Amino acid sequence: MNADVSHAAVSPAAPARKPRHIAIVMDGNGRWAQARHRPRTIGHRAGARAVNACIDACLDDGIEVLTLFAFSSENWRRPKEEVGALMQLFLRALDREVDELLRRGVRVRFVGERAAFAPELRSRMARAEELTRGNTRLHLCIAANYGGRWDIAQAARALALRAAAGDIDPARIDEHMLAPQIALSDLPDADLFIRTGGERRISNFLLWQLAYCELYFTDILWPDFDAAALRAAIADFAGRERRFGMTAAQIAAGATP
Ligand code: FPP
């Protein structure tokens, strides 16, 4: 965990120390709007613009996977008007951006329980996934109605059903058997977790996938998070020593996990 790094003179991290998968909790839209005496929804709109800037920076820097926490399973508890405005924003963003994402080589995926969304939004999500399925330059994973505990529970349920059907022996269930059932298991685990907006918590984001990631917290409010801010986080990551349970001496001798 760290303090902010100055944005000045920060260049993209050296390739060897670059995160493959960046996961972001985009916090601070409401406060950004409040500071301007504007409704919270204006902050979310500004947040959507920051999403575009972040995707551009990831494409420029050769990041393979970007996972964004757009709507948590707990966000339904927000005022009805704010939830409605967010749903409209997601719908419009999908309509507006999908062709450009397709053109730029971005594959879009949604992770979370989507049955709770309106049919119109669900069909836009499915269309975006279908249209961009062949892209490989950047995986953009949008966590929507997602919770890390939900993810682990649905994985456990999938194995329990297989055990009940006699396909697997429950006594043999271990983390290697559970891992493929967890969302995004076909992608590298998150290397770098970023949370904007000053809070220092994970808030039920990718609990399983964050097991060995480096945590980076910044006071910058999400709508102000730009390419320079992302590069500051990547540069900070480049300076971390990741040991995966090994000793510093083993790492220095070239051991890999
Ligand atoms: C948290 O800030 C932000 C959200 C719950 C919504 C995130 C949504 C966006 C960034 C908009 C667009 C996203 C996509 C993928 C198109 P907050 O409202 O909790 O801020 P606060 O802590 O200052 O109140």
Side-chain angles (χ1 to χ4, degrees):
M1 310 193 196
N2 58 284
D4 280 349
V5 177
S6 162
H7 291 179
V10 172
S11 57
R17 302 285 246 153
K18 197 168 62 179
R20 296 180 68 192
H21 181 170
I22 300 179
I24 307 184
V25 174
M26 309 178 287
D27 199 8
N29 293 349
R31 278 165 287 161
W32 185 92
Q34 273 157 7
R36 287 159 181 76
H37 309 288
R38 306 298 306 277
R40 293 175 58 82
T41 49
I42 297 293
H44 293 314
R45 257 191 252 165
R49 289 194 290 276
V51 166
N52 279 336
C54 188
I55 293 170
D56 285 346
C58 284
L59 283 165
D60 289 347
D61 288 7
I63 302 300
E64 293 170 53
V65 188
L66 173 66
T67 302
L68 301 174
F69 208 177
F71 195 83
S72 76
S73 31
E74 291 78 27
N75 284 152
W76 296 108
R77 297 180 191 151
R78 292 190 173 208
K80 226 167 69 193
E81 306 71 49
E82 184 170 342
V83 171
L86 274 169
M87 295 301 139
Q88 281 305 313
L89 184 65
F90 296 148
L91 206 59
R92 278 204 309 271
L94 275 173
D95 280 345
R96 204 178 48 232
E97 305 297 342
V98 76
D99 289 338
E100 185 60 13
L101 293 171
L102 176 65
R103 194 185 65 76
R104 301 199 68 189
V106 179
R107 179 172 177 181
V108 182
R109 284 165 69 162
F110 292 91
V111 53
E113 207 168 13
R114 59 181 91 181
F117 293 120
E120 200 186 9
L121 183 52
R122 289 207 310 264
S123 79
R124 299 293 213 294
M125 291 158 95
R127 180 173 170 270
E129 287 181 326
E130 195 47 46
L131 219 59
T132 62
R133 184 175 296 278
N135 280 348
T136 52
R137 220 177 133 202
L138 171 70
H139 266 87
L140 172 64
C141 308
I142 300 180
N145 195 23
Y146 176 86
R149 289 179 174 180
W150 164 83
D151 196 355
I152 293 168
Q154 63 82 25
R157 189 183 320 117
L159 282 191
L161 287 170
R162 285 178 56 201
D167 290 345
I168 55 170
D169 174 1
R172 293 174 59 93
I173 291 178
D174 60 8
E175 64 184 86
H176 302 290
M177 228 187 245
L178 194 63
Q181 309 296 332
I182 302 276
L184 311 179
S185 61
D186 55 320
L187 298 173
D189 273 351
D191 301 298
L192 172 60
F193 166 94
I194 300 173
R195 184 178 185 133
T196 62
E199 311 287 0
R200 269 101 173 123
R201 49 178 176 259
I202 292 173
S203 297
N204 199 19
F205 198 22
L206 309 162
L207 298 178
W208 180 281
Q209 302 87 337
L210 295 181
Y212 282 101
C213 81
E214 298 297 324
L215 303 177
Y216 181 88
F217 299 100
T218 171
D219 291 336
I220 297 173
L221 302 175
W222 175 253
D224 292 327
F225 192 83
D226 57 11
L230 181 72
R231 287 183 184 130
I234 293 173
D236 185 78
F237 173 89
R240 307 277 182 99
E241 183 185 69
R242 306 183 79 197
R243 291 202 292 271
F244 300 97
M246 292 182 286
T247 66
Q250 285 174 298
I251 299 294
T256 47

